[in-house]
């Protein structure tokens, strides 16, 4: 099985490592707009061969793992080059745009729209890890638009990588994921910003930070090159979640201002319910 | 060494376990306003003996590990009962109030105001863990107001538990800790609330949550009984941080609204700087 991965960063590189481990006979070809990335990936044995865009014509599977602002274009170019038997899937955090973009492409049936809910705050080929996808959810959109045999091929890969599958329409995906992923990134980035601004005047503030702060601000280490395009593509859903978040914070602030600590307590207790819901996510 | 711990939850219980491990000859006495807690602690061998408030008169060391709204009163009662050689320290997340409260107490020199920056999102004696304090920072306030010999005794304990010490005045402590601890809890609770509200209408939303969301929302599992009093005692600092946080979120929202994704990118890139600062915190 020849697999070409376009975009050899955390996401693409982790697919490379996981596929090599699950399919020992697979040959992994890697390409990246950033020449240094693809060289580093080869050096680290994340990929077997350096590749060019046109090499996808020989691939059995192509994985598009590039920032969402360029994914549609890369996908279109790829679909224009591949054979009829080639499976192409993406891994982007927004799905409505890309699905619309290729809706009428003659090779639409070669494409599977996917979003593995997996990642870390690190980026680049050095950040790739073989078990990134194990026990993680993979959301597949518009599965009915992909050819049966290629659905089968994709599911075989996802299953051997240890992923569980959820089917969803692209619109619902983008709405839901704004809440459980995109908003967390903004809350974390702005928390980091607020504390960094303070640090400028008050030295040593971070010296006092503990594991709670580190956990809450972890996502503020994420790649802007990946996240700015996501916020752009999912702007209306992200704005909705952000408005609700700001409203909830403002309401909490007002409770403090009027010394209603009974209600402050209640608010927190009601939210504690998230304990039971989060069981199993780590 | 006889150690009495008042409040056998996550914090007090973890002190019990850590002290037993570092001082094998220590005898741990535990008391708690919640009878079930202290019984559970005995059952789990977190403490050696059930104790009453008046037993502190026989203790060499007393640790006050109760919510900050009752800590001052418990401390005053304790100071009224102990011997001249007894060390009393607290572990509360606010320091200005308690230091003011006991400023003129005849036994002020028996008290050391401490705040170990350590915890988890869990609570109660079942949550106690022996290594909670290892490699963590312990902030000590107004150290000069504690008797030399008792300072020494306290430092010996903290050192054997593997903590590093930072000295600070109570006012600065409360200001700084509002940024690196109290604000994270609010941001996390309100993130949890925002997503839970959505969940009511849209089923399965949490099924899509990954490790990023789990990390950012982790602190929303924390105990309201511990946190509501902290927000009350540190109200003015917490309000200041919360205002700055809401302003930063609002400004970010406005950048999205006017499609200034260049600046969205820049904002995130500037905040990425937190990577280097957070090294070493986990």
């Amino acid at each position: 099985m020849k697999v070409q991965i376009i975009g050899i960063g955390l996401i693409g590189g982790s697919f490379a490592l996981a596929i090599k481990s699950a399919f020992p006979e697979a040959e992994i070809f890697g390409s990246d707009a950033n020449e240094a990335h693809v060289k580093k990936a080869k050096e680290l044995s994340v990929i077997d061969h350096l590749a060019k865009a046109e090499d996808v014509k020989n691939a059995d599977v192509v994985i598009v793992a590039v920032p969402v602002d360029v994914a549609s274009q890369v996908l279109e170019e790829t679909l224009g080059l591949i054979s009829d038997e080639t499976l192409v899937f993406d891994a982007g955090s927004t799905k409505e745009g890309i699905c619309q973009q290729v809706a009428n492409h003659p090779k639409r049936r070669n494409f599977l729209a996917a979003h593995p809910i997996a990642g870390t705050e690190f980026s680049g080929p050095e950040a790739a890890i073989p078990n990134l996808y194990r026990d993680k959810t993979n959301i597949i959109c518009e599965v009915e638009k992909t050819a049966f045999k290629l659905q089968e091929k994709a599911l075989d890969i996802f299953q051997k990588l240890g992923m569980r599958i959820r089917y969803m329409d692209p619109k619902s995906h983008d709405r839901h994921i704004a809440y459980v992923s995109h908003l967390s990134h903004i809350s974390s980035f702005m928390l980091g910003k607020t504390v960094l601004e303070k640090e400028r005047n008050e030295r040593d503030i971070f010296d006092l930070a503990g594991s709670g702060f580190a956990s809450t601000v972890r996502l503020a280490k994420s790649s802007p090159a990946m996240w700015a395009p996501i916020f752009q593509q999912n702007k209306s859903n992200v704005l909705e979640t952000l408005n609700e978040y700001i409203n909830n914070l403002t309401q909490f602030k007002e409770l403090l201002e009027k010394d209603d600590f009974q209600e402050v307590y209640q608010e927190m207790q009601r939210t504690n319910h998230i304990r039971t819901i989060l069981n199993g996510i780590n």
Side-chain angles (χ1 to χ4, degrees), chain A:
Chain A
M1 182 167 73
K2 287 187 176 169
V3 179
Q4 180 154 343
I5 300 177
I6 307 176
I8 289 290
L10 164 70
I11 299 300
S14 295
F15 265 118
L17 293 173
I19 290 174
K20 281 215 300 200
S21 154
F23 300 85
E25 81 295 357
E27 262 186 293
I28 313 283
F29 297 75
S31 56
D32 199 299
N34 183 335
E35 196 69 17
H37 268 192
V38 76
K39 279 185 183 153
K40 190 77 190 170
K42 177 75 176 71
E43 203 182 300
L44 297 168
S45 298
V46 168
I47 57 172
D48 300 315
H49 311 283
L50 282 73
K52 297 219 165 82
E54 59 267 34
D55 296 332
V56 296
K57 64 179 183 292
N58 303 313
D60 300 300
V61 177
V62 180
I63 304 176
V64 176
V66 298
V68 298
D69 56 337
V70 289
S72 291
Q73 199 198 323
V74 167
L75 176 60
E76 274 196 77
E77 287 165 10
T78 302
L79 290 177
L81 290 164
I82 54 166
S83 83
D84 280 351
E85 281 71 43
T86 304
L87 164 71
V88 183
F89 67 87
D90 80 323
S93 190
T94 52
K95 297 261 73 78
E96 208 182 346
I98 198 164
C99 284
Q100 268 173 8
Q101 206 77 26
V102 297
N104 300 313
H105 196 287
K107 286 261 176 65
R108 174 64 186 87
R109 296 183 66 76
N110 292 71
F111 172 57
L112 184 90
H115 177 202
I117 312 288
T120 73
E121 67 274 33
F122 305 111
S123 47
E126 306 88 336
I129 44 178
N131 281 324
L132 184 64
Y133 301 111
R134 185 145 306 275
D135 300 324
K136 301 296 164 53
T137 300
N138 192 3
I139 306 177
I140 294 179
C141 293
E142 300 188 334
V143 66
E144 68 286 354
K145 298 199 175 173
T146 307
F148 284 153
K149 281 178 91 166
L150 299 179
Q151 286 179 30
E152 229 167 59
K153 191 189 268 192
L155 289 180
D156 180 51
I157 294 172
F158 298 148
Q159 198 192 334
K160 292 220 170 78
L161 264 49
M163 310 188 86
R164 56 177 205 154
I165 304 297
R166 291 289 180 270
Y167 297 100
M168 211 163 191
D169 69 280
K171 210 180 178 72
S172 303
H173 167 277
D174 285 9
R175 279 180 60 83
H176 285 194
I177 218 71
Y179 279 88
V180 292
S181 166
H182 303 173
L183 179 58
S184 316
H185 283 79
I186 297 177
S187 86
S188 199
F189 267 108
M190 290 303 104
L191 179 67
K193 184 187 178 189
T194 305
V195 180
L196 280 170
E197 283 173 340
K198 200 68 192 169
E199 170 75 353
R200 238 174 269 148
N201 307 314
E202 317 239 2
R203 297 264 111 217
D204 301 331
I205 198 168
F206 285 102
D207 205 44
L208 311 181
S211 57
F213 178 71
S215 165
T216 320
V217 89
R218 178 167 73 84
L219 298 179
K221 303 180 195 170
S222 304
S223 156
M226 173 175 169
W227 282 96
I230 289 173
F231 297 143
Q232 184 164 16
Q233 286 210 356
N234 205 17
K235 179 180 155 179
S236 67
N237 289 315
V238 168
L239 278 176
E240 183 187 312
T241 69
L242 192 48
N243 269 321
E244 288 171 20
Y245 185 52
I246 292 172
N247 287 345
N248 282 329
L249 285 163
T250 305
Q251 196 198 325
F252 194 85
K253 189 189 80 167
E254 286 162 3
L255 292 176
L256 295 181
E257 279 168 346
K258 62 185 182 196
D259 293 312
D260 189 350
F261 291 97
Q262 195 90 43
E263 188 54 28
V264 163
Y265 180 98
Q266 297 296 340
E267 279 278 17
M268 291 193 282
Q269 200 178 42
R270 281 190 292 265
T271 305
N272 269 174
H273 163 55
I274 207 154
R275 277 181 201 154
T276 51
I277 291 173
L278 284 179
N279 277 346
I281 306 173
N282 46 50

